Amino acid sequence: MTSFTLIYGCMFSGKTTKLIELYQHCGFEQEEIIVVKPVIDNRFVADKVNSHSGLNMPGMRIKNPEQIESYITESTKIIFIDEVQFFGSRVGTIIQNILMQDIAVVASGLDRDYLHKDFGPMPDLKRMADKNIALTARCHLCNEKGTHTFRTIKNDSQILVGHDNMYQARCEKHWDEGMKAFTN
Ligand code: ADP
Ligand code: MG
């Protein structure tokens, strides 16, 4: 049966690692698989999807979610999407269209931004998914469960691509303390 799996959590929670694991174990041939990520994510090598833990898989960078449809062929069985939160509100409809063609979708993304607000299409995608995989990280300060993305530099735009040079996973308490320290 065609299914939509959504992997979500804060930064460094292992979302991309999980996506790559599911890719490696999906059992389909290379020509039956499409892997995409938004072009905005320029942190790593262009034609690869990389995790912070050092894993990678071949993938294409695309500018908008409509481009996914242009890669679909008769052989396509499954589509993996990393950093899906950057694709904006149209991605939900596109995923629905893909599922209707009997192609499975596995997507991963940040469900909350650095202010812990819903990130773009993620609430809709959570409702649509047949399977939600919620991941947590370890708090950078206390090593307890990390559920929040803390931005370590002062910058107010929702989209600011970076890794551990700009972000830390934190527990709610340490995220809160960090946010208060910024406003004081
Ligand atoms: P996500 O896609 O959710 O950001 P990744 O799958 O890319 O997460 O990688 C998460 C893993 O990366 C962590 O479990 C950890 O082992 C490792 N890692 C590497 N560098 C860092 C870092 N600076 N902070 C936290 N985790 C890191
Ligand atoms: Mg990732």
Side-chain angles (χ1 to χ4, degrees):
M1 215 196 61
T2 328
S3 67
F4 173 31
T5 302
L6 182 68
I7 303 160
Y8 64 87
C10 63
M11 272 190 75
F12 308 111
S13 61
K15 301 181 298 296
T16 305
T17 304
K18 184 74 190 170
L19 189 77
I20 295 173
E21 263 172 42
L22 294 178
Y23 161 84
Q24 287 170 337
H25 297 120
C26 73
F28 292 113
E29 302 295 328
Q30 206 60 54
E31 65 271 17
E32 298 172 324
I33 305 173
I34 293 171
V35 180
V36 293
K37 63 174 182 176
V39 77
I40 191 165
D41 181 6
N42 59 359
R43 290 170 298 184
F44 301 106
V45 192
D47 57 350
K48 286 199 166 73
V49 172
N50 297 66
S51 74
H52 296 108
S53 53
L55 293 172
N56 67 68
M57 62 179 165
M60 290 172 287
R61 283 188 194 211
I62 55 174
K63 288 207 175 82
N64 57 65
E66 284 78 11
Q67 275 177 278
I68 302 172
E69 296 181 308
S70 69
Y71 291 121
I72 294 175
T73 67
E74 279 184 3
S75 340
T76 308
K77 300 268 172 47
I78 189 163
I79 301 181
F80 292 88
I81 310 172
D82 197 19
E83 302 281 3
V84 69
Q85 79 278 358
F86 288 143
F87 279 126
S89 57
R90 301 191 313 273
V91 75
T93 313
I94 288 160
I95 289 174
Q96 247 150 9
N97 290 342
I98 294 168
L99 296 170
M100 284 197 308
Q101 296 171 63
D102 244 359
I103 298 167
V105 175
V106 184
S108 74
L110 273 176
D111 59 332
R112 306 288 186 105
D113 64 12
Y114 76 107
L115 298 172
H116 209 60
K117 299 230 167 75
D118 285 332
F119 211 131
M122 296 303 283
D124 287 343
L125 299 186
K126 282 183 190 175
R127 280 190 290 273
M128 278 173 55
D130 312 281
K131 189 172 178 196
N132 276 296
I133 301 177
L135 299 176
T136 56
R138 289 272 152 207
C139 173
H140 188 80
L141 299 185
C142 68
N143 214 34
E144 293 296 316
K145 196 193 267 190
T147 49
H148 288 51
T149 300
F150 182 69
R151 185 177 283 176
T152 54
I153 61 157
K154 195 150 176 50
N155 182 308
D156 292 338
S157 65
Q158 187 186 40
I159 297 180
L160 177 68
V161 175
H163 46 100
D164 57 6
N165 57 346
M166 294 180 201
Y167 295 100
Q168 292 170 350
R170 289 197 179 188
C171 65
E172 188 172 0
K173 176 174 162 274
H174 285 123
W175 177 84
D176 218 41
E177 283 177 12
M179 294 300 281
K180 283 186 182 130
F182 264 134
T183 50
N184 291 334

